Amino acid sequence: MRTSLRIELADAEGALMRLIGLVERRGFTIATLDKAAASNGQSTVTMMLDARDAARNMDVLARQVARLLDVRGVFTSDTHARIAPEIAAEAAAGPDRWRQACPPRR
Amino acid sequence: MTALPATEIDDTATTAAAERPARRQTGAHAVVRTLEALGVTRVFGYPGGAIMPVYDALTGSSLQHILVRHEQAAAFAADAQARLTGKAGVCLATSGPGATNLLTGIANAYLDSVPMIILTGQVPSGLMGTDAFQEVDVFGMSMPVVKHSIIIRDPMRIPEMIAEAFAIAEGGRPGPVLIDLPKDVLQAEAYPTLPPEPRLEAGPSHPSESDLAAATALLARSRRPVLYIGGGVTLGGAVDAVRDFMTRTGIPSVATLKGLGCAHPDSETYLGMLGMHGGRAANVAVDESDLLICCGARFDDRATGRLDSFAPGARIIHIDGDAAEIDKLRRAEIGLAGDISAILAGITNDWLDIAEWRDLCVERKHRHAFRYDAPGSGVFAPAMLKQLSEVAGDDFIAACDVGQHQMWVAQHCRFSRPEHHLTSAGLGAMGYGLPAGIGAAMTRPDAKVVTITGDGSIMMNIQELATARRYGVPIRILLLDNASLGLVRQWQEYFFDENFSEIDLYDNPDFAEVAHAFGIEAFTVHSREEVPAAIDRLLNARGPILAHVLIDPRENVWPLVPPGASNADMMED
């Protein structure tokens, strides 16, 4: 299943490489990738992803992406995916299309 | 032979250098002063071209530099120190081969969530990207195995960025942080300043009352619950909370390799390690459970066996400090990410009725207990390891290598605390034991630190005997020699039609003589009757000592869950 992920990324050295590497390594292929120019030290990356097998879970990936120190926010477009309780409140408060998958680390 | 005490090391060169006139302060000085300001007292490393400015700045520093003989050992020693203290261990190396030699140690720390700071020299900024001498992109190469990494390009930001690296390494779920230091940055003028207070990661979240109520309700309905303990309990500082929970609820518990020592070793309801080499009582309890409370564990394949038949009738409550572990491999009915201690304290057990189940699990534990009455007069390694840990007592710290001996330690040794079991769990890196033992013995010279290794593993980092000798490290090395790569041989015996391919180490050197050549006391144990005296000699040694123990090459690790099988289908001797 193809799913979209939107990431708010700090404009830091290696941040994009780290993000792409993690997504690939965790079992997803990147079908498309769009990165806006950085503004106020941050940019937005939007990716369309395909899971390599049925066991791959987009919500787990979103949480793994959120662990990256350069990631300021993660949003998924898959509103039907199951989410962990600690994320539920964030999800409920998110915009209609893009659900914030994880609270910011710092 | 006796080891050279640290005080006898010739440091006249260092003293003479310290008396030279004050020199211009550089980025390298900022690195050293920042480490001092952050409370670092010891670093493990190996010098070379690009990192030489830091070594120059070490002169006169309060930092103790431990010169290892291979960079991988620096990482492993720093790893062990970190596991024992909970504070980031520090290692440093030069660019190129120095940095690549660190990578196995970095991966080891990443997979076991160990806080570590790795300082690597780098070629000057202007040469980066030109394939310069000893240039590799360690920043890029290490990305999959670090929690974070940075290249410091502004010497004035050194204090701030190093302080932040420590906060990242030690905060949240710990991990290694690599700091790449271009040589021109290290040589540029800089004014060492106190590092600012780093920005801290958000602390662990607290579960809601409704989540805890749901977990309590699930527990109340259970008749066959099992507590599944992993290394996240130690990382979350929740060992006491787990022990309290076990006492309060009486729920039978099992542990992963990294979870060993979390349960009190004398707890009646603790059933031992689960998984590929877990005990029958532990694996059967999990298989029959109707509720698995996974606490700081990650459903690793070595623990679960075939995942789709792991705890097939159980609902899952998954408690972890890291939200990314919830649902990663097994869906949880209730996922609770946050402070493990607070979560366990919030789960009540007023309606728990499991006496029959608990009694059954305890009865099985006794019925399937390991036996130590092996026939013959040769050394039976499981019995020797059990006796060693019992004689050493609560101060026993084991630094394991990887192989059959690692599994025997996990099965048969008694650990009073999880930090006392140093093992390469996630990566399974042969060569870990000796440098980890050195790091541990320097950190806890008061404890009974024993490196337990095999004839295959010790050859991966045997050069570190020189480090043990140089610093007079109080490390005991128990080398179990079966003249083969035993765990590989065991798999070839059962799963590759006895096609024994490249596992025969018949031409090993005489390890006692090798130790003697390094200036280390050593002796060989040939038979079972020599074991008590050997243990006594090992544990009462004041400096480095090696016991070379000859064991039967045909000895195997039992039980064993075959690859791709369910934990319920374990093979036994």
Side-chain angles (χ1 to χ4, degrees):
Chain A
M1 187 179 78
R2 181 161 293 186
T3 314
S4 296
L5 203 60
R6 195 179 81 195
I7 299 110
E8 291 173 353
L9 194 63
D11 188 27
E13 184 168 9
L16 183 61
M17 185 162 69
R18 205 185 306 273
L19 170 65
I20 292 170
L22 184 145
V23 170
E24 291 270 3
R25 197 167 58 253
R26 294 294 188 178
F28 291 81
T29 56
I30 300 171
T32 69
L33 185 148
D34 180 70
K35 180 182 180 298
S39 171
N40 296 322
Q42 184 170 303
S43 62
T44 300
V45 176
T46 306
M47 295 187 284
M48 295 190 74
L49 305 174
D50 296 320
R52 290 188 199 278
D53 59 63
R56 307 293 165 171
N57 180 327
M58 179 58 69
D59 266 331
V60 173
L61 177 70
R63 279 178 255 149
Q64 290 166 335
V65 168
R67 289 194 305 196
L68 297 177
L69 270 293
D70 297 325
V71 168
R72 301 286 181 252
V74 184
F75 302 83
T76 72
S77 62
D78 177 10
T79 55
H80 301 294
R82 183 183 175 285
I83 52 175
E86 83 283 1
I87 299 170
E90 298 288 340
D96 290 342
R97 178 161 178 257
W98 292 101
R99 177 172 62 77
Q100 183 168 14
C102 298
R105 296 177 61 86
R106 297 185 290 186
Chain B
M1 301 182 74
T2 56
L4 190 68
T7 51
E8 293 181 22
I9 295 169
D10 182 357
D11 59 356
T12 51
T14 303
T15 305
E19 291 169 354
R20 291 180 195 138
R23 292 177 298 172
R24 143 182 186 275
Q25 296 295 292
T26 64
H29 289 100
V31 171
V32 171
R33 302 290 172 257
T34 302
L35 293 176
E36 291 172 338
L38 290 169
V40 176
T41 57
R42 180 183 298 125
V43 297
F44 299 89
Y46 200 99
I51 198 71
M52 281 177 65
V54 172
Y55 276 83
D56 190 52
L58 278 173
T59 301
S61 162
S62 64
L63 294 176
Q64 181 191 24
H65 178 270
I66 304 300
L67 178 68
V68 294
R69 300 306 173 94
H70 188 287
E71 290 87 350
Q72 185 186 101
F76 284 155
D79 169 301
Q81 177 175 307
R83 292 188 202 223
L84 280 169
T85 63
K87 302 291 183 187
V90 182
C91 57
L92 69 159
T94 193
S95 63
T100 56
N101 280 345
L102 287 171
L103 280 174
T104 300
I106 299 171
N108 192 62
Y110 179 75
L111 284 173
D112 284 352
S113 303
V114 177
M116 185 190 291
I117 298 294
I118 304 102
L119 300 164
T120 50
Q122 184 54 276
V123 301
S125 304
L127 289 179
M128 289 173 70
T130 69
D131 303 324
F133 176 66
Q134 291 195 333
E135 184 201 358
V136 296
D137 175 18
V138 71
F139 178 71
M141 292 171 77
S142 64
M143 271 188 185
V145 291
V146 294
K147 181 175 179 184
H148 194 58
S149 50
I150 50 178
I151 302 174
I152 300 184
R153 296 186 181 273
D154 178 356
M156 298 308 290
R157 293 193 65 197
I158 286 174
E160 164 205 342
M161 295 183 82
I162 291 181
E164 184 161 346
F166 272 82
I168 292 167
E170 295 172 355
R173 181 175 183 165
V177 178
L178 181 138
I179 304 172
D180 206 22
L181 299 160
K183 192 170 184 179
D184 58 310
V185 173
L186 293 173
Q187 291 178 312
E189 190 162 13
Y191 300 96
T193 55
L194 282 177
E197 284 293 316
R199 293 175 294 159
L200 297 176
E201 289 183 43
S205 58
H206 293 282
S208 68
E209 290 299 323
S210 62
D211 293 335
L212 294 172
T216 296
L218 208 54
L219 178 59
R221 286 199 295 273
S222 170
R223 292 294 173 268
R224 299 186 304 280
V226 170
L227 182 65
Y228 159 34
I229 304 167
V233 168
T234 313
L235 301 176
V239 173
D240 290 342
V242 162
R243 291 182 177 186
D244 288 346
F245 186 77
M246 288 176 60
T247 303
R248 173 162 60 88
T249 63
I251 295 174
S253 63
V254 300
T256 66
L257 185 61
K258 277 200 73 192
L260 296 177
C262 288
H264 192 284
D266 300 327
S267 167
E268 185 71 351
T269 54
Y270 171 60
L271 307 178
M273 187 171 73
L274 84 163
M276 178 173 280
H277 292 295
R280 173 164 285 277
N283 279 338
V284 169
V286 171
D287 189 60
E288 294 182 356
S289 66
D290 65 0
L291 175 67
L292 199 59
I293 305 171
C294 173
C295 198
R298 59 188 182 195
F299 293 89
D300 179 88
D301 56 286
R302 286 287 156 134
T304 65
R306 186 174 153 181
L307 189 61
D308 62 7
S309 61
F310 178 68
R315 295 183 168 208
I316 306 292
I317 297 175
H318 194 161
I319 304 167
D320 207 292
D322 182 356
E325 289 299 338
I326 310 286
D327 289 344
K328 187 176 79 175
L329 289 163
R330 171 81 179 248
R331 287 273 182 175
E333 272 68 27
I334 298 176
L336 301 169
D339 183 332
I340 293 174
S341 298
I343 293 168
L344 289 176
I347 299 175
T348 56
N349 59 304
D350 296 344
W351 302 279
L352 199 58
D353 177 16
I354 59 167
E356 192 176 334
W357 166 246
R358 183 173 58 234
D359 292 346
L360 174 63
C361 288
V362 171
E363 184 274 325
R364 282 181 179 151
K365 170 183 170 178
H366 292 297
R367 179 157 34 108
H368 299 297
F370 292 112
R371 296 182 61 172
Y372 298 97
D373 53 348
S377 60
V379 176
F380 183 49
M384 183 175 190
L385 291 168
K386 179 175 188 288
Q387 190 177 350
L388 172 73
S389 70
E390 289 174 351
V391 172
D394 286 350
D395 284 336
F396 174 62
I397 295 175
C400 291
D401 247 310
V402 170
Q404 287 180 313
H405 57 276
Q406 181 189 29
M407 293 299 105
W408 285 327
V409 167
Q411 291 175 330
H412 306 290
C413 287
R414 179 186 189 279
F415 293 104
S416 62
R417 296 285 307 176
E419 302 89 350
H420 289 189
H421 179 226
L422 305 171
T423 198
S424 175
L427 189 64
M430 292 172 70
Y432 177 75
L434 179 54
I438 290 170
M442 297 190 94
T443 306
R444 287 286 312 276
D446 56 309
K448 302 289 189 189
V449 177
V450 184
T451 281
I452 296 158
T453 185
D455 52 306
S457 284
I458 196 168
M459 291 289 266
M460 294 259 180
N461 270 319
I462 199 165
Q463 76 286 342
E464 298 310 319
L465 290 175
T467 309
R469 156 73 178 169
R470 167 179 281 238
Y471 297 98
V473 180
I475 181 177
R476 295 90 175 167
I477 303 163
L478 181 67
L479 167 55
L480 298 169
D481 181 357
N482 58 6
S484 68
L485 298 174
L487 206 50
V488 180
R489 186 203 53 73
Q490 181 173 351
W491 276 55
Q492 290 176 345
E493 181 179 353
Y494 290 97
F495 311 124
F496 290 87
D497 299 326
E498 299 189 9
N499 179 25
F500 296 116
S501 176
E502 299 295 332
I503 48 80
D504 191 347
L505 302 180
Y506 67 93
D507 51 356
N508 275 327
D510 181 325
F511 288 107
E513 288 304 311
V514 171
H516 287 150
F518 277 99
I520 288 179
E521 179 182 357
F523 60 100
T524 299
V525 180
H526 303 84
S527 67
R528 194 172 303 180
E529 65 183 15
E530 300 172 68
V531 166
I535 289 174
D536 187 58
R537 184 172 171 185
L538 262 186
L539 294 179
N540 289 309
R542 300 180 66 183
I545 183 170
L546 183 145
H548 176 214
V549 182
L550 304 177
I551 63 171
D552 189 337
R554 297 164 299 179
E555 196 61 60
N556 284 327
V557 182
W558 302 112
L560 166 64
V561 176
S566 160
N567 281 353
D569 298 326
M570 67 191 78
M571 298 166 62
E572 294 181 87
D573 193 8

